[in-house]
Amino acid sequence: YHKKLVPISAVDLSMGYDAYWRALRERGSNFVERIPRLERKLGKERGRVTLQDRIVDPSALESLIRWKYDQMIDQPDNRFSQEHWFTRFLRDLFSTRFPSFQAVLSGLFVEDRLCSALFSLSSTTRILHAYASSYDPEFPKYSPGMTILFKALERAAADGVVRADLGGGASFRYKYRMMIGEPGDLAVGVVVSG
């Protein structure tokens, strides 16, 4: 059941991450130079930068929720408040692990400190859906949110993911600039159980 279709940005990873990166470079994307440079700067100024995938520590999810709430504080429908159904839903998804479907929390760390997090949904269809991301407000000049997204795409491609959906939203132009391949549609609706 769906109420409407929303256009979303999609990344074609079917030829691998290197091919995706080359396509961005050929298109003249500033991400190709800027994101690796900012990651190197972060490492030089703050310490060793690493990506951890499949984090099971709930405190990392709580950091993501808190950062996202603060980031969206002025928006009328801030889904990241502690009481909102969406936040409870994220917590429930976080503990979901089936062979065919799972939530994946990835974290970008500087030394032992989490500086950005990405919550994704993964399935055996070899599609990754980047669901929510945010970063520690102490690190914005390094673009840790973009860094974790590109690192997660690289890891996903290595794991056999052929497509990553980045979601929609007109305010997120960076998603459209990251897109290689055809946009997709996201079915939006509500299912109510009895």
Side-chain angles (χ1 to χ4, degrees):
Y1 168 76
H2 69 271
K3 192 173 185 176
K4 62 182 177 179
L5 293 175
V6 177
I8 60 170
S9 300
V11 173
D12 181 356
L13 296 170
S14 61
M15 301 299 288
Y17 185 77
D18 290 341
Y20 166 66
W21 198 249
R22 276 192 306 277
L24 282 179
R25 184 183 303 277
E26 289 167 7
R27 198 173 69 198
S29 171
N30 71 340
F31 290 136
V32 176
E33 303 297 329
R34 189 169 73 86
I35 298 305
R37 180 176 39 83
L38 288 171
E39 182 184 354
R40 287 189 303 273
K41 182 177 180 181
L42 175 60
K44 183 179 179 183
E45 293 179 3
R46 304 299 291 267
R48 187 172 60 94
V49 178
T50 57
L51 176 71
Q52 290 184 23
D53 223 356
R54 297 182 179 6
I55 296 171
V56 295
D57 179 0
S59 69
L61 177 65
E62 294 307 316
S63 292
L64 167 64
I65 290 169
R66 185 178 61 255
W67 296 335
K68 196 69 173 179
Y69 175 79
D70 291 346
Q71 184 182 2
M72 298 179 68
I73 195 80
D74 294 330
Q75 299 202 11
D77 181 30
N78 188 340
R79 302 177 302 174
F80 289 89
S81 71
Q82 291 298 316
E83 301 79 31
H84 198 281
W85 69 266
F86 182 76
T87 304
R88 292 191 306 272
F89 179 61
L90 278 182
R91 289 185 184 108
D92 288 344
L93 278 175
F94 179 68
S95 61
T96 301
R97 307 258 190 296
F98 296 108
S100 61
F101 174 84
Q102 63 182 309
V104 178
L105 183 62
S106 303
L108 189 71
F109 287 80
V110 176
E111 298 296 335
D112 293 329
R113 181 175 175 182
L114 181 66
C115 73
S116 66
L118 171 65
F119 187 90
S120 302
L121 302 175
S122 178
S123 73
T124 54
T125 60
R126 300 190 316 157
I127 295 174
L128 181 77
H129 178 72
Y131 206 59
S133 66
S134 196
Y135 56 86
D136 185 327
E138 188 177 317
F139 294 92
K141 72 178 186 175
Y142 304 105
S143 292
M146 294 301 297
T147 300
I148 194 171
L149 192 48
F150 280 110
K151 284 188 159 303
L153 289 174
E154 183 175 20
R155 176 80 51 89
D159 288 345
V161 168
V162 296
R163 176 186 165 108
D165 292 335
L166 304 180
S171 63
F172 301 112
R173 287 189 212 121
Y174 73 89
K175 292 179 182 181
Y176 296 106
R177 293 193 344 245
M178 290 178 68
M179 187 172 72
I180 296 291
E182 295 300 314
D185 289 316
L186 176 66
V188 178
V190 176
V191 176
V192 180
S193 62

